[in-house]
Amino acid sequence: MTTQPTTFAHHLTQDPVPEEVRAAILADPGFGTNFTDHMVKIDWFGDVVAGTGRWNDPRIEPYGPLVLDPAAAVLHYGQEIFEGLKAYRHADGSVWTFRPEANAARLNRSARRLALPELPEQLFLDSLRELVAVDEQWVPDGEGESLYLRPFMIATEAFLGVRPSRQVLYSVIASPAGNYFGGPVQPVDIWLARDWARAGRGGTGAAKCGGNYAASLIAQIEGEAHGCQQVLFLDRDRGDAVEELGGMNVFFVHDDGTLVTPELTGTILEGVTRSSILQLARDRGLTVEERRFTLDEWREGWRSGRITEAFACGTAAVITPIGRLVSTEGAIGDDDARPGPVTMDIRRQLLEIQTGRAEDPHGWLTRLV
């Protein structure tokens, strides 16, 4: 049985980022390039096979390099998982996050798949609160800006035998974030990955682990060479069924008020933003379908006008309109595509809930500070 500690020790930095430097960063935060002064660390020792173990020494430390033995299991067998969520500054100065319980649950689903220990939900939530409370001054307040939170778990035992690690580190780091793709919201072009797969049946596609993202990078490079910002993967065993982008789920708006997204088959990550969009779409009276959706259906839907909009979603980018799907077989979509009204309305509603400018009918917000 895994037990949890109750209090965090604070070992605060003696060399914080100067206020004027932090102000310059927050004036143009970008994404994932600057980090706050502190980080969370919690150690685990135990045996996941036997179902025993304990989380130990929860603490806030100065942000800095990790010290790992060269034989640490994460470096050799990729035993690691991570999450992504955001902290938003509301108008009254308070700081909130969005559906962190869903991230905690997904972290534990990923942990089970990668044979890592599960982290108690309350300890996950406390780790976010502790870090944001210490580094609250790093939370930006500009339009569309947030503090991106990256919890992660890595196997740290120095052992080259192939078995689950008996030592693990859970950590949280934070980075001020602006628009993921930069600038105003505009449709992005997507490259069709014909020769590559992100995940396979029975694999780790439903887990949020680094290997899935590493597997997508070669296709991402190929897409960028063709002027595309993201890449789409297909399931060739299911009639070229659309799966997901390199790190985002995908949706299709139809002219009859139907919103379609690929069903979860074990090879697609169950996104928190994805599930939120499904609920908001139902609230708006849209017909929601989670089902197999093929490349041919996308092509024919675009040609006939039945598919009026396509968009991708994820924590980092929130909702991003898709302009064209580009491939060696030609493009699906219009060269002069503009963001669609359904896409932008759902995006606006989601952001307004997250930033406290609209009612939170489903109780998705959790106050951190």
Side-chain angles (χ1 to χ4, degrees), residues 74-91:
V74 65
L75 303 177
H76 300 272
Y77 306 123
Q79 204 184 359
E80 71 83 41
I81 56 176
F82 67 98
E83 273 299 320
L85 64 167
K86 292 178 176 179
Y88 302 88
R89 177 83 67 185
H90 287 194

Side-chain angles (χ1 to χ4, degrees), residues 280-299:
L280 293 179
R282 294 186 182 101
D283 294 346
R284 298 167 64 90
L286 299 178
T287 301
V288 172
E289 295 180 0
E290 298 178 72
R291 61 172 175 81
R292 187 174 75 105
F293 181 90
T294 67
L295 180 63
D296 285 343
E297 184 176 353
W298 188 354
R299 183 180 292 108

